[in-house]
Amino acid sequence: MPSHTYEGGARQRCVLVEFESVERAAAAYSSPAYQVALAKLEGAVKREVRIVPGVD
């Protein structure tokens, strides 16, 4: 847990995955394999997914 949360509440877990581009990340999220995984999690977990461009 962070020592101070400014906005949005504290999360117990955060996973960051880096892709080569926003397009590749969106393609991975939309892939049939990931959609199968999401269907298995339905109702079992709360999650938030954000795809944002990186900086160099």
Side-chain angles (χ1 to χ4, degrees):
M1 290 280 222
S3 59
H4 185 79
T5 301
Y6 291 94
E7 296 181 29
R11 302 287 185 240
Q12 291 183 2
R13 188 174 307 165
C14 177
V15 176
L16 177 66
V17 179
E18 183 177 7
F19 288 86
E20 292 178 16
S21 66
V22 168
E23 293 78 18
R24 287 256 177 125
Y29 182 82
S30 299
S31 72
Y34 191 71
Q35 294 307 305
V36 168
L38 286 179
K40 291 180 187 251
L41 292 174
E42 192 59 41
V45 297
K46 291 183 181 180
R47 62 191 175 278
E48 296 178 16
V49 175
R50 293 179 178 87
I51 298 175
V52 299
V55 295
D56 291 326

